[in-house]
Amino acid sequence: MGTQAQRTEQWADVTPDAARRLLTAAVEAFAERGYHATTTRDIAGRAGMSPAALYIHYRTKEELLYRISGVGHRLALGILRRAHDGPGSPAERLADAVRRFVRWHAEHHTTARVVQYELGALGEEHHAEIVALRRETDAAVRAIIEEGVAAGDFDVPDVRGTSLAVLSLCVDVARWFSVDGRRTPEEVGDLYAGLVLRMVGHGNGVRAAGA
Amino acid sequence: MGTQAQRTEQWADVTPDAARRLLTAAVEAFAERGYHATTTRDIAGRAGMSPAALYIHYRTKEELLYRISGVGHRLALGILRRAHDGPGSPAERLADAVRRFVRWHAEHHTTARVVQYELGALGEEHHAEIVALRRETDAAVRAIIEEGVAAGDFDVPDVRGTSLAVLSLCVDVARWFSVDGRRTPEEVGDLYAGLVLRMVGHGNGVRAAGA
């Protein structure tokens, strides 16, 4: 679950304080019991507020999920875009993207699970908006891989499929990561950066005669 | 969701017919609304049965989840064990394991999601039993990778971490796979088999001069 600071930092832009407390309460409730088994009364109770106070900030339970999903997806997209726009070779930028993306999913695994597993509960318009953010996320990873291929640094027969696999590998960290496990978020990030460079045929550490 | 045949084949060993119908109804209900939002009444209704008829076969909702999880985990373990015990080099057996494991998660993604995302809802004893099955699953993949390293075919600095990443990559197919998507389960399986061989440093198709 990361530290308290890591858990709250992601909601720093949500104001006022009561709206932020309700979002974090909703994440915990959705993660524990699932979206459909959670009521707005549960969420208000966890935040130490009345249901009436909740409705000042969010009209529906779905709006809470939509806000959580939006914050999560925008943070993830920001991480990948900054890595894409950063200095260094495509390999350095891809490794940086993977390290940061993995660390985010490990440290914020509770939020990430809600964001990933409850997509189907969003209303139609909200779903379309989140899907558009997901396409931009895919595009950011694909762009780094394409730049590596263009530079002759990567060897990737299927760029779209490989981009999808890289993102999937990183996102799934949120499912299995445990603070009681063997590895820190940084260690998982380092391991995965190396594996992803192999996936794109950068060949770090791969024996030339291996095949 | 695969074909109807693919969906029912996984429950073929569950008898009598009424018990099997209840399991498939429970999978659908859990997948749609989550475990905690589903009642035994919902499940009986989907199976066209009365709640009393359900209790003849399953004492609790948790028992249904436990049976589903057991079937899913044993099928997954069987796939990997057969691949491990099969003929061929470690690379051929690892590629075979990944292809079959991915196809299973794509074709049975509804079951796989329930199995993976609702682990926390199992009772303590059942949870321990399923965790033991998961350790055997990890061990089956790790064994193939260790055999490849011992044979000098793979180059894997972190066997435990790489085994975990390979399994995670395959399991997450259940989250994103859609029958309306671009790729068939077989195509995803082939793509992933190639990516996993790269992850273990088998180097297929990786340019020797890439690094």
Side-chain angles (χ1 to χ4, degrees):
Chain A
M1 199 157 286
T3 64
Q4 183 64 34
Q6 283 165 340
R7 269 180 285 151
T8 53
E9 140 225 298
Q10 63 188 319
W11 314 110
D13 293 342
V14 180
T15 55
D17 181 59
R20 186 166 56 243
R21 262 164 50 215
L22 286 162
L23 272 198
T24 58
V27 167
E28 285 171 22
F30 294 158
E32 266 180 45
R33 306 266 308 162
Y35 176 81
H36 293 288
T38 300
T39 63
T40 48
R41 179 173 292 272
D42 296 334
I43 296 166
R46 276 177 188 258
M49 292 164 63
S50 68
L54 181 148
Y55 290 117
I56 295 171
H57 302 285
Y58 305 100
R59 278 168 309 161
T60 61
K61 183 173 72 163
E62 192 271 346
E63 193 181 330
L64 277 154
L65 179 62
Y66 164 64
R67 291 292 301 277
I68 291 164
S69 197
V71 168
H73 278 92
R74 283 187 185 86
L75 284 170
L77 178 57
I79 288 168
L80 296 177
R81 282 216 173 129
R82 278 193 299 279
H84 173 265
D85 298 341
S89 68
E92 284 163 348
R93 288 183 288 132
L94 184 59
D96 185 52
V98 168
R99 261 190 217 104
R100 289 175 193 273
F101 202 62
V102 162
R103 276 170 50 186
W104 195 85
H105 281 83
E107 286 167 356
H108 304 285
H109 61 269
T110 309
T111 303
R113 285 179 200 169
V114 170
V115 163
Q116 296 295 339
Y117 303 162
E118 302 288 10
L119 267 187
L122 289 171
E124 204 175 323
E125 274 186 45
H126 289 164
H127 188 265
E129 192 183 318
I130 297 296
V131 166
L133 283 173
R134 292 170 79 86
R135 292 221 177 91
E136 293 184 60
T137 304
D138 292 355
V141 172
R142 206 159 59 234
I144 307 179
I145 295 181
E146 279 164 352
E147 288 162 23
V149 171
D153 296 343
F154 300 165
D155 174 20
V156 184
D158 178 348
V159 169
R160 185 177 286 272
T162 303
S163 303
L164 186 153
V166 167
L167 273 173
S168 170
L169 181 68
C170 297
V171 165
D172 196 51
V173 169
R175 178 180 59 81
W176 63 259
F177 185 82
S178 159
V179 282
D180 307 321
R182 294 167 184 267
R183 292 164 201 269
T184 64
E186 288 71 24
E187 287 166 351
V188 181
D190 288 342
L191 169 66
Y192 274 42
L195 291 172
V196 166
L197 288 180
R198 288 180 165 202
M199 288 165 78
V200 298
H202 185 64
N204 279 32
V206 179
R207 278 193 294 247
Chain B
M1 199 158 287
T3 65
Q4 183 64 36
Q6 284 163 342
R7 268 179 285 150
T8 53
E9 142 226 298
Q10 61 188 317
W11 313 112
D13 292 343
V14 180
T15 57
D17 182 60
R20 186 166 56 244
R21 265 164 48 216
L22 285 162
L23 273 198
T24 58
V27 168
E28 286 171 22
F30 294 157
E32 267 180 45
R33 306 266 306 163
Y35 175 80
H36 293 290
T38 301
T39 64
T40 48
R41 179 173 293 272
D42 297 334
I43 296 167
R46 277 177 186 259
M49 291 164 63
S50 68
L54 182 147
Y55 291 119
I56 294 171
H57 302 285
Y58 304 100
R59 279 169 308 163
T60 61
K61 181 173 71 163
E62 192 270 348
E63 193 182 333
L64 278 153
L65 179 63
Y66 165 65
R67 291 292 301 276
I68 292 163
S69 196
V71 169
H73 278 93
R74 281 188 187 87
L75 285 169
L77 177 58
I79 288 168
L80 296 177
R81 283 218 174 129
R82 279 192 300 279
H84 173 266
D85 298 341
S89 68
E92 284 161 350
R93 289 184 287 134
L94 184 60
D96 186 51
V98 168
R99 263 190 215 101
R100 290 174 192 275
F101 201 62
V102 162
R103 277 169 52 187
W104 195 85
H105 281 82
E107 285 167 357
H108 304 285
H109 60 269
T110 309
T111 303
R113 285 178 200 169
V114 170
V115 163
Q116 296 296 339
Y117 303 163
E118 302 287 10
L119 266 187
L122 289 172
E124 202 174 324
E125 272 185 44
H126 289 163
H127 188 265
E129 193 184 318
I130 297 297
V131 166
L133 283 173
R134 293 169 78 86
R135 291 223 177 91
E136 292 184 61
T137 304
D138 292 358
V141 171
R142 205 160 59 233
I144 308 178
I145 295 181
E146 279 166 354
E147 287 162 25
V149 170
D153 296 343
F154 300 165
D155 175 19
V156 183
D158 178 347
V159 169
R160 184 176 287 272
T162 303
S163 304
L164 186 152
V166 167
L167 274 173
S168 169
L169 181 68
C170 298
V171 165
D172 196 51
V173 169
R175 178 180 58 82
W176 61 260
F177 185 81
S178 160
V179 282
D180 308 321
R182 297 167 182 266
R183 294 165 200 267
T184 64
E186 289 70 26
E187 286 166 351
V188 180
D190 288 342
L191 169 67
Y192 274 44
L195 290 172
V196 165
L197 287 181
R198 287 180 165 203
M199 287 165 78
V200 297
H202 186 64
N204 280 29
V206 179
R207 278 194 294 250

